Amino acid sequence: MPPDHPDSNYRMTREALLDKVPLSENQIFRIHGELEPDGAASRYEFDIRQSFRLEGAEIPVFDMVALGMGPDGHTASLFPHTEGLHELMRIAIANHVPQQKESWRVTLTWPVINRGRDVFF
């Protein structure tokens, strides 16, 4: 979905937080939800790899990871019983989520989330 869509997490985050803090656009890396899911995940991973200057199988360490939690216990777009829970090597993935009205979501993987210095819900 585009960044201004009513259901966009990016739109919500921008309105609630990002528009209120002194960050430049080059400090914000959004998931391009208007692209097809695999392309959006690849672009997001590429942007993160470039920003952190990662090589090979390196994964980033974010200073802060802010998460929500759904009623089924999911966080990010890592839903119970989905393939995304088994990904260990990638930074970002397209995760098929049959229990949601939108069947594909782009998310950071759990190894990346777990490496965050400050992770909160």
Side-chain angles (χ1 to χ4, degrees):
M1 71 186 64
D4 57 351
H5 189 281
D7 293 336
S8 168
N9 287 335
Y10 175 75
R11 181 198 54 78
M12 181 272 304
T13 302
R14 176 164 286 294
E15 291 174 359
L17 176 65
L18 297 175
D19 285 345
K20 296 170 175 46
V21 294
L23 293 174
S24 65
E25 286 298 315
N26 68 349
Q27 293 176 287
I28 299 169
F29 300 94
R30 75 172 181 90
I31 296 170
H32 290 265
E34 64 273 23
L35 301 176
E36 57 86 22
D38 283 326
S42 293
R43 179 172 178 175
Y44 192 50
E45 182 161 328
F46 176 82
D47 289 346
I48 292 169
R49 286 189 172 284
Q50 291 291 105
S51 177
F52 281 86
R53 294 181 171 93
L54 301 175
E55 295 182 15
E58 282 185 286
I59 62 174
V61 177
F62 286 96
D63 290 328
M64 182 180 73
V65 179
L67 299 165
M69 183 174 290
D72 60 358
H74 84 270
T75 191
S77 283
L78 299 170
F79 287 75
H81 314 292
T82 59
E83 288 298 313
L85 296 173
H86 305 289
E87 179 57 55
L88 300 174
M89 301 304 292
R90 299 275 313 274
I91 293 171
I93 57 167
N95 192 26
H96 183 247
V97 184
Q99 58 265 57
Q100 292 290 305
K101 63 181 178 181
E102 294 183 36
S103 61
W104 286 93
R105 304 283 293 268
V106 177
T107 184
L108 290 173
T109 59
W110 69 263
V112 174
I113 293 168
N114 280 353
R115 286 184 55 126
R117 287 188 180 99
D118 187 12
V119 179
F120 67 93
F121 294 84

